[in-house]
Amino acid sequence: MKMIYPREEVCIACRYCEIYCAIEHSRSKDPVKTFKMESPQPLPRITLMEEGALSFSLQCRHCKEPDCAYACITGAMYKDKESGVVIHDPNRCIGCWTCILACTKGSIRRDESKRVAVKCDLCTHLEVPACVANCPNGALLYLEAV
Amino acid sequence: MKSFLLPEFLVERDENRCIQCKVCITQCGFETHYFDEELGRVMHKEERCVGCQRCAVFCPTNALIIRPHPWNLRPHANWTKERYYDLTKQAETGGVILVGSGTDKPHRIYWDHIVLNASQVTNPSIDPLREPMELRTYLGSKPDALEIKDGELETELPPQVKLETPILFSALSFGAISYQAQESLARAAKEVGILFNTGEGGLPQSLKEYGKYAIVQCASGRFGVDLDYLENSAMIEIKIGQGAKPGIGGHLPGEKVSEIVSRTRMIPKGTDAISPAPQHDIYSIEDLSTLIYALKEATNYKKPVAVKIAAVHNSAAIATGIVRAGADVVVLDGLRGGTGAAPKIIRDNVGIPIELAIAAVDTRLREEGIRNRASVIAAGGIRCSADVIKAIALGADAVYIGTAALVAMGCTLCQKCYTGICNWGICTQDPKLAKRLNPDITTERLVNLVKAWSNEIKEMLGGMGINSVESLRGNRLQLRGIGLADWELKVLGIKGAGE
């Protein structure tokens, strides 16, 4: 499977990854409408981590042994056997946040407005995930997992 | 003291488009934009804006327009807005006004008054897409004559450096520019088969592999100069002057002398790197000759040695002295050449346009019968491939591009290079700003620029019916002047259009 790999040495902490992730997961897919009209606002599923000059964007690693999926009490979080993508089904999520406790990477966020977990879905409907396609400095790569 | 100056730029934020994403805040190193928690929206302090356009380019919804402040003073042809600004600033600070980049004054750009020829009927033009076209250029001293015996060259040639196209990257020193910027220039030079120039900042150990593509500069501060540095190079350049600031030295502030800059320049970390105005061991042509031969001796006569001067009133006479002193290459840097920092008054008022200097030097060297003894590189304000081809037709062997290369990397000529803050990651040592240049991307941008210009040069050569750049060199009959006075045509050695 293909995975997103951050390159901290060229990450410019612009937060494009977060913005374009939110836009991609919006209803309108339009930057202005996403942030000015949509309620509740779609959350980015990627987080820019920053301290001084060090920055990179953190997203779900789609682990081979996903602790979040093992911990999920409703089966909302599961690893798709075929694609290897760790998928979250908001319809089955009860917002217990057990996945957040279990995730060792800190890649899952809470959507308080809907009381469900949100995480990177690798934009499987796109050829290249929105964060990677829109990164202005080549700081996110979409490569075959090693 | 209350400042009487208005901000130089206006920040116009279209609130209907602004999505409060804060990208502008992250991208401005001058801290122009900020988020006001109470108002719950992004605001700005215009007086901090330098007009570099980084925020406007990165705004995902194009909500920002940065434009010069109208400053509606009563219009005055003599006491212009700029004069008023500088006067007021000096009244408030008592200082010399510093500036970066090349002069922005409307000195005559002769390139725009020179047109090229093309073949019609009596000689055929050449299609570079179908026929071979030679741009390869060799820099170095050429012998007076060649002796050939049994089909073999008998004459021993002085050292030559090969360029795949007659373009080189100008001196941009590490310390002034970021590591990423120098790496990009080095990698691009390697990829297109040209050379980059270390400026006077040395070559970091980690970029040593690019030494073969480096012109290593030996300037008045002698920063980073040792035997390894000289030997690991394509060519050595003695820097006497710079077009943007003839007669003026350099000053890299201590804040920019980081650990790696300090190791590369061989000076203590955090100390100012001061390059004296003159080279204190060169007060005459004889002294220059001593240094040229010292460098040649040190490198076993394997490297061509260039001498770079700012184009000034008596450049032609100086150039003959340089050639007679033993230089293999003469570099002329014109009035419009760039800099990381210079007093504005010097940048805008000292030196002569490169076009006139090339013609004057080429003419003088030919008259004295020594033109073959040195190549001539022209620098300072080469903006496009037509400027390159006109410079070559006027008599240059190749050109240096500095500002054009910077623009290819992202520079928007905001002229704030001297502040140490560069939002485009070029002229800074701040690790957070410097990583904005991804050398993979920047190298590609530079390579694209050189390839695009090379293709255009081939097209123009083909139009003239010339299949080798060598045949254009000093071929001033391919040029005509428009709107130039007799003295200008005479100095340029070209006819007026229609003549």
Side-chain angles (χ1 to χ4, degrees):
Chain A
M1 74 177 288
K2 277 190 158 179
M3 283 277 290
I4 299 171
Y5 292 97
R7 292 181 65 204
E8 65 87 9
E9 70 275 20
V10 287
C11 171
I12 61 171
C14 64
R15 298 186 182 269
Y16 260 36
C17 47
E18 290 185 0
I19 295 159
Y20 283 94
C21 179
I23 296 168
E24 190 52 44
H25 294 92
S26 70
R27 270 182 283 116
S28 62
K29 316 261 184 212
D30 175 275
V32 176
K33 288 181 192 166
T34 298
F35 292 98
K36 291 187 96 78
M37 287 169 66
E38 292 191 22
S39 176
Q41 263 195 16
L43 286 181
R45 288 110 192 273
I46 189 164
T47 312
L48 182 87
M49 308 299 287
E50 191 182 5
E51 196 180 305
L54 175 70
S55 62
F56 62 92
S57 61
L58 174 80
Q59 65 297 102
C60 173
R61 306 311 303 154
H62 300 275
C63 306
K64 277 189 184 134
E65 301 282 335
D67 290 333
C68 58
Y70 297 154
C72 180
I73 58 173
T74 64
M77 194 78 82
Y78 61 96
K79 189 166 179 81
D80 186 77
K81 284 212 176 82
E82 220 171 279
S83 65
V85 179
V86 175
I87 295 172
H88 176 254
D89 178 358
N91 295 324
R92 299 177 73 175
C93 179
I94 57 166
C96 68
W97 316 134
T98 315
C99 54
I100 296 176
L101 273 176
C103 176
T104 53
K105 315 289 189 298
S107 319
I108 309 173
R109 284 193 181 202
R110 300 175 209 202
D111 186 342
E112 300 277 5
S113 65
K114 296 183 193 147
R115 205 180 158 82
V116 290
V118 283
K119 66 172 273 301
C120 166
D121 55 7
L122 265 185
C123 287
T124 45
H125 58 292
L126 299 175
E127 208 169 298
V128 179
C131 56
V132 178
N134 287 287
C135 176
N137 211 35
L140 289 170
L141 301 177
Y142 190 50
L143 303 170
E144 266 323 308
V146 281
Chain B
M1 192 191 294
K2 160 74 182 158
S3 174
F4 297 162
L5 290 171
L6 286 169
E8 285 185 271
F9 289 90
L10 277 183
V11 179
E12 292 177 346
R13 190 184 312 275
D14 183 344
E15 294 296 344
N16 289 324
R17 300 185 72 89
C18 176
I19 57 173
Q20 312 296 331
C21 67
K22 305 177 189 166
V23 169
C24 50
I25 301 176
T26 69
Q27 293 307 294
C28 184
F30 294 93
E31 299 178 344
T32 302
H33 307 271
Y34 64 97
F35 190 75
D36 190 304
E37 295 287 347
E38 270 179 9
L39 292 170
R41 61 189 172 100
V42 180
M43 301 289 287
H44 47 260
K45 294 189 169 116
E46 270 142 344
E47 60 276 19
R48 293 188 175 174
C49 178
V50 299
C52 80
Q53 307 293 340
R54 177 85 182 182
C55 58
V57 169
F58 273 72
C59 175
T61 59
N62 294 326
L64 286 168
I65 295 175
I66 311 297
R67 62 186 178 93
H69 195 293
W71 267 41
N72 294 318
L73 297 167
R74 179 184 290 273
H76 199 301
N78 194 25
W79 301 97
T80 57
K81 197 195 289 181
E82 187 189 352
R83 291 279 81 84
Y84 170 83
Y85 185 93
D86 289 354
L87 276 167
T88 309
K89 199 167 170 186
Q90 291 190 306
E92 290 172 4
T93 62
V96 170
I97 295 176
L98 278 183
V99 76
S101 181
T103 182
D104 54 11
K105 295 294 158 294
H107 295 290
R108 174 163 269 188
I109 299 170
Y110 285 92
W111 304 132
D112 296 338
H113 292 267
I114 298 175
V115 287
L116 295 166
N117 196 22
S119 303
Q120 298 293 295
V121 182
T122 53
N123 51 348
S125 50
I126 302 169
D127 183 348
L129 296 174
R130 292 182 174 81
E131 294 178 60
M133 189 63 78
E134 188 67 61
L135 295 189
R136 190 170 289 168
T137 299
Y138 289 90
L139 297 180
S141 180
K142 309 292 186 290
D144 293 336
L146 291 177
E147 271 181 50
I148 296 165
K149 201 173 165 193
D150 303 328
E152 295 292 317
L153 184 64
E154 289 273 288
T155 316
E156 200 182 328
L157 281 178
Q160 305 287 322
V161 288
K162 183 168 82 175
L163 305 174
E164 291 302 334
T165 191
I167 298 167
L168 310 100
F169 295 133
S170 293
L172 292 154
S173 70
F174 173 50
I177 61 167
S178 62
Y179 181 89
Q180 287 85 339
Q182 190 174 50
E183 181 187 339
S184 306
L185 290 162
R187 283 169 57 182
K190 180 181 177 183
E191 198 172 325
V192 291
I194 61 166
L195 306 177
F196 73 106
N197 189 314
T198 60
E200 54 176 330
L203 187 66
Q205 280 293 321
S206 44
L207 293 179
K208 253 187 123 172
E209 60 177 299
Y210 298 102
K212 273 188 288 193
Y213 309 95
I215 297 172
V216 296
Q217 218 178 45
C218 174
S220 63
R222 301 284 153 88
F223 299 120
V225 179
D226 67 3
L227 193 56
D228 269 358
Y229 172 71
L230 297 175
E231 281 182 338
N232 182 36
S233 72
M235 184 159 100
I236 301 167
E237 182 178 274
I238 299 169
K239 179 198 175 184
I240 302 292
Q242 186 175 340
K245 45 178 173 176
I248 297 281
H251 181 165
L252 186 73
E255 301 90 75
K256 286 183 95 172
V257 182
S258 63
E259 181 67 40
I260 180 169
V261 173
S262 116
R263 266 187 280 127
T264 309
R265 292 208 175 207
M266 303 170 189
I267 54 169
K269 189 179 161 189
T271 54
D272 291 6
I274 295 173
S275 306
Q279 300 229 6
H280 278 300
D281 50 358
I282 304 175
Y283 286 6
S284 66
I285 291 294
E286 292 75 14
D287 290 345
L288 176 66
S289 191
T290 307
L291 181 60
I292 292 171
Y293 281 98
L295 293 169
K296 287 188 176 190
E297 195 72 41
T299 51
N300 284 323
Y301 295 84
K302 298 241 170 70
K303 317 274 181 198
V305 173
V307 174
K308 176 183 178 179
I309 53 164
V312 288
H313 302 173
N314 48 354
S315 286
I318 298 164
T320 62
I322 290 170
V323 175
R324 291 176 193 283
D328 302 283
V329 178
V330 179
V331 182
L332 302 166
D333 193 7
L335 169 64
R336 297 187 302 269
T339 176
K344 187 163 179 256
I345 207 80
I346 300 282
R347 185 197 73 168
D348 293 345
N349 294 286
V350 183
I352 66 169
I354 188 61
E355 301 91 327
L356 304 176
I358 301 168
V361 167
D362 181 67
T363 303
R364 179 72 174 262
L365 295 181
R366 281 173 198 276
E367 280 170 5
E368 295 191 10
I370 54 171
R371 178 65 183 84
N372 63 299
R373 279 164 58 179
S375 298
V376 173
I377 304 179
I382 305 286
R383 309 155 300 165
C384 60
S385 58
D387 294 356
V388 178
I389 211 159
K390 289 170 191 174
I392 291 171
L394 279 177
D397 288 81
V399 302
Y400 267 131
I401 57 166
T403 306
L406 291 172
V407 171
M409 291 199 265
C411 171
T412 52
L413 305 178
C414 76
Q415 310 189 15
K416 296 290 176 185
C417 328
Y418 64 94
T419 61
I421 300 171
C422 174
N423 282 332
W424 295 88
I426 300 166
C427 197
T428 182
Q429 297 304 319
D430 178 341
K432 199 173 165 177
L433 297 175
K435 72 201 276 226
R436 292 180 178 187
L437 277 196
N438 176 344
D440 294 342
I441 297 173
T442 315
T443 300
E444 193 186 335
R445 297 178 78 100
L446 289 165
V447 167
N448 283 343
L449 176 80
V450 175
K451 283 187 177 167
W453 282 22
S454 301
N455 285 332
E456 288 178 344
I457 291 170
K458 286 180 182 176
E459 291 284 348
M460 286 182 278
L461 280 177
M464 288 185 259
I466 294 172
N467 64 4
S468 163
V469 75
E470 292 281 339
S471 309
L472 180 71
R473 187 151 302 118
N475 187 348
R476 298 190 202 172
L477 282 172
Q478 297 295 339
L479 305 174
R480 289 289 187 277
I482 288 183
L484 296 176
D486 283 350
W487 73 266
E488 291 166 312
L489 292 170
K490 195 174 138 215
V491 174
L492 290 166
I494 62 173
K495 292 179 176 175
E499 285 188 302

